[in-house]
Amino acid sequence: MAIDSRLLEEELAGLDALDLEEDKPVDRLAKVWSALWPKLAAVFLAVAAWQLTVWSHWRPEYVLPSPVRVLGQLGNLLGEGEFYRAIAITLRRALTGYALAVLVGTLVGASVARVRPLRTAVGSLITGLQTMPSIAWFPLAILLFQLSESAILFVVVLGAAPSIANGLIAGVDHVPPLLLRAGRVLGASGLRLYRHVILPASLPSFVAGLKQGWAFAWRSLMAGELLVILANRPSIGARLQFARELSDAPALLALMIVVLLIGIVVDGVFNQVDGHIRRRRGLTAGA
Amino acid sequence: MTLTVEDLVSVAPAVGINAVSKAYGRGPDAVRALDRVSLDVRAGEFVCLVGASGCGKTTLLNLVAGLDSPTLGTIDTGGRRTGLMFQEAALFPWLTAGANVELALELRGVRSRTERREQAAELLERVHLRGAADQRPHELSGGMRQRVALARALAQDAEVLLMDEPFGALDAMTRDLLHDELERLWSTTGLTVVFVTHNVREAARLGDRIVLLTSRPGRVAASYDVDIPRPRRIESREVAALAADVTDRLRSEVRRHGH
Ligand SMILES: Nc1ncnc2c1ncn2[C@@H]1O[C@H](COP(=O)(O)OP(=O)(O)O)[C@@H](O)[C@H]1O
Ligand SMILES: [Mg+2]
């Protein structure tokens, strides 16, 4: 053999080693802390501002209670069986509605992205639907389904599905042409090109759509639960409405905190998934 | 002397490009990318295509790879599989290096998972990347990514390897090493290689033959047989002398476009 293969191998290995970054040891605790403290500081500032407003007597205590009273009320709620039933019902509605929205959004998104005439016909309609405030759907929903679970579900699905469809469409539209070419060179076409190249390439955009879809679903659900109150179906929205009717400010604020917390937790889950996908593809600045 | 069947087979080119023209668009606005290009590449030959940017090199490779079809003329690869490598590695960022190679095997029709895994490991070994199978593309250097892309192209089990300025974005030292690597692979496998570059020295370093294309429309302007014995070094006097010749010709071609 004319070329000294062993020498070449050593040189390549040397270059490779020089090219790769060294693995830095990560201090997990420090990492968690650096992610956590700004959030804790933000919570502290918000609570402090709230407390200062209370102390300024801008509104009487029975309208704007102090953080301590609201936290106490939150504690009471957490000890109450009925409260968990309400959360369970609300979350079940959220999950059912969201699951349906994912199904509808994905089907619509996939067909619109693939079929050109459908694209021109409904592409902009979907974006239009996305800007429609979900509360505007309720009169129609109530006409169609009366005051029922279906009315709530209808609006949740309509609120969330357009974002999900749009995320998928945008993802398919923005698959890098080079990767499409690479896929075709390797012999993928039609469905196989979809499965091995187009869908994986559009995943980050799809996840962004899923996340936005969740936010819309959650908002629509809260609007729905305030409007559509069903007998024997306690829910977070219904309890919020009752708290307002009874002028029970501490309970009202405690419930709002619950709504906020659920939103934050789910958002955190989506961010984890999103971050994971991006890190694996080297799409993050720090990776 | 009479010709035997073997002689006929060995005489037939691995890639026959016959009076191929390619225009993008129609009517007066059409871009004539290639104009009656004819070129035969022998089986096992290493041909380098050089030409100014925009002269239709990428277009020609796309046609040979079957990604597009010529406006006029024919391309005959005698049913040989072709593999294509680009300037960017074009690896799928959601797959590890190993999985990228495995996908090529799967799309080629290798059914068994374990077989794909073994073959991918072997292919990565051949480009000296056995340790990188579990790395993701973004964790690799440019040179390593190009070698994974090479392994992926080899996974297509192609007899004809088409390379479109594959080392154009690499630093000189990495590129020199990859020249050695490519030469070694080529000489041990009997691959036919069509290698596009705008770097004339690279062409003289690698090719059995250098084919010079003119610009707008692309035509074959000249062809040089490279008799420099292998292994070659890109710094060697013979390579430099040939590169100077080809460059002079290339420049005179480019000058034609000045007026
Ligand atoms: N898809 C396309 N549509 C229109 N014009 C194209 C297309 N692809 C290439 N061209 C034109 O054809 C000519 C040759 O392009 P290309 O093959 O990419 O050249 P090279 O690879 O030699 O730089 C250029 O003038 C380019 O603008
Ligand atoms: Mg090109």
Side-chain angles (χ1 to χ4, degrees):
Chain A
M1 181 58 240
I3 302 165
D4 187 333
S5 174
R6 199 178 42 80
L7 254 183
L8 175 58
E9 176 158 7
E10 277 171 17
E11 284 165 356
L12 282 169
L15 263 192
D16 292 350
L18 288 175
D19 273 328
L20 295 183
E21 316 166 25
E22 285 169 53
D23 282 336
K24 289 178 227 99
V26 278
D27 184 348
R28 284 199 141 253
L29 216 66
K31 221 176 136 191
V32 169
W33 176 242
S34 73
L36 202 60
W37 78 259
K39 291 176 186 144
L40 291 178
V43 170
F44 176 79
L45 282 179
V47 172
W50 175 4
Q51 182 64 64
L52 285 176
T53 319
V54 172
W55 278 335
S56 75
H57 296 291
W58 172 64
R59 286 285 185 274
E61 267 268 9
Y62 65 87
V63 178
L64 183 66
S66 70
V68 176
R69 274 199 64 197
V70 172
L71 279 184
Q73 180 65 36
L74 190 60
N76 292 345
L77 276 181
L78 292 177
E80 212 185 275
E82 191 68 356
F83 171 67
Y84 290 102
R85 227 190 117 206
I87 287 210
I89 286 178
T90 295
L91 284 184
R92 213 179 55 227
R93 283 172 178 165
L95 287 182
T96 328
Y98 185 63
L100 262 173
V102 171
L103 191 72
V104 173
T106 308
L107 284 179
V108 171
S111 22
V112 168
R114 216 177 133 71
V115 186
R116 195 153 288 280
L118 210 59
R119 173 48 165 285
T120 27
V122 286
S124 50
L125 185 67
I126 294 179
T127 314
L129 278 181
Q130 216 179 342
T131 61
M132 177 110 170
S134 53
I135 196 118
W137 284 106
F138 271 102
L140 177 66
I142 292 170
L143 265 183
L144 289 175
F145 299 104
Q146 288 77 45
L147 289 177
S148 69
E149 290 287 337
S150 308
I152 298 178
L153 217 57
F154 176 75
V155 176
V156 170
V157 172
L158 273 174
S163 297
I164 296 168
N166 251 347
L168 184 56
I169 295 169
V172 171
D173 278 356
H174 294 122
V175 177
L178 184 66
L179 293 186
L180 286 178
R181 237 175 118 210
R184 293 207 294 142
V185 165
L186 295 179
S189 57
L191 270 183
R192 293 212 298 176
L193 192 65
Y194 237 75
R195 175 162 121 63
H196 291 297
V197 182
I198 297 176
L199 287 186
S202 47
L203 191 62
S205 171
F206 184 53
V207 170
L210 286 177
K211 179 177 155 180
Q212 200 187 45
W214 164 260
F216 278 113
W218 188 235
R219 287 182 212 178
S220 311
L221 179 61
M222 283 304 120
E225 287 192 342
L226 290 181
L227 284 176
V228 181
I229 292 170
L230 308 171
N232 285 322
R233 303 285 292 162
S235 67
I236 298 191
R239 289 189 69 130
L240 257 178
Q241 189 70 340
F242 295 148
R244 188 189 70 79
E245 279 163 13
L246 302 174
S247 295
D248 184 354
L252 194 149
L253 283 168
L255 285 162
M256 283 179 65
I257 289 176
V258 171
V259 172
L260 183 67
L261 283 180
I262 293 177
I264 289 175
V265 167
V266 177
D267 193 63
V269 171
F270 275 111
N271 283 339
Q272 284 292 320
V273 174
D274 186 55
H276 180 70
I277 293 173
R278 285 177 182 280
R279 264 192 309 282
R280 274 165 51 120
R281 298 178 181 210
L283 293 173
T284 45
Chain B
M1 201 188 101
T2 53
L3 281 173
T4 63
V5 174
E6 281 84 344
D7 286 331
L8 281 174
V9 168
S10 65
V11 163
V15 181
I17 300 168
N18 307 307
V20 162
S21 299
K22 176 72 186 177
Y24 291 105
R26 289 177 178 284
D29 292 338
V31 178
R32 287 165 69 203
L34 293 173
D35 185 37
R36 284 163 290 163
V37 171
S38 291
L39 175 67
D40 282 348
V41 182
R42 277 179 282 113
E45 193 181 14
F46 198 127
V47 170
C48 291
L49 289 179
V50 296
S53 138
C55 72
K57 305 181 294 288
T58 298
T59 302
L60 188 60
L61 287 196
N62 279 343
L63 295 177
V64 176
L67 290 179
D68 205 348
S69 42
T71 313
L72 284 173
T74 58
I75 289 180
D76 183 11
T77 56
R80 290 174 178 81
R81 281 174 179 280
T82 55
L84 176 56
M85 250 181 92
F86 318 103
Q87 177 164 355
E88 293 97 314
L91 300 174
F92 300 119
W94 53 89
L95 299 175
T96 61
N100 265 285
V101 179
E102 282 176 43
L103 178 58
L105 293 166
E106 183 177 351
L107 290 170
R108 190 189 96 198
V110 180
R111 284 283 166 75
S112 136
R113 235 195 130 93
T114 48
E115 198 171 312
R116 287 202 297 265
R117 181 145 302 166
E118 279 166 21
Q119 285 193 32
E122 253 167 56
L123 286 161
L124 284 175
E125 170 90 50
R126 272 167 71 183
V127 294
H128 299 298
L129 277 177
R130 95 179 63 79
D134 295 327
Q135 310 260 36
R136 296 188 178 270
H138 73 94
E139 297 169 318
L140 303 173
S141 69
M144 294 167 87
R145 280 201 283 265
Q146 256 340 2
R147 273 141 69 202
V148 177
L150 182 56
R152 183 173 72 173
L154 295 174
Q156 293 180 264
D157 201 21
E159 291 161 81
V160 180
L161 184 57
L162 309 167
M163 306 179 86
D164 193 356
E165 309 193 22
F167 308 142
L170 302 179
D171 63 274
M173 183 157 188
T174 307
R175 195 172 55 217
D176 288 352
L177 284 178
L178 290 195
H179 288 159
D180 293 351
E181 174 107 341
L182 178 61
E183 188 169 59
R184 184 183 59 82
L185 274 171
W186 166 75
S187 63
T188 52
T189 51
L191 267 175
T192 306
V193 180
V194 181
F195 188 103
V196 161
T197 177
H198 55 246
N199 179 342
V200 177
R201 273 190 175 227
E202 181 171 54
R205 157 72 184 85
L206 288 171
D208 290 330
R209 188 149 57 106
I210 300 175
V211 174
L212 188 73
L213 293 180
T214 57
S215 303
R216 291 204 200 108
R219 277 198 194 121
V220 175
S223 174
Y224 300 80
D225 287 318
V226 186
D227 300 323
I228 308 166
R230 297 178 193 271
R232 303 174 189 155
R233 293 176 63 93
I234 199 159
E235 306 86 356
S236 78
R237 207 168 329 128
E238 299 100 309
V239 168
L242 176 60
D245 275 0
V246 180
T247 303
D248 285 344
R249 181 66 198 269
L250 187 60
R251 286 206 183 151
S252 75
E253 283 299 330
V254 172
R255 268 199 301 277
R256 282 196 312 117
H257 289 273
H259 20 250

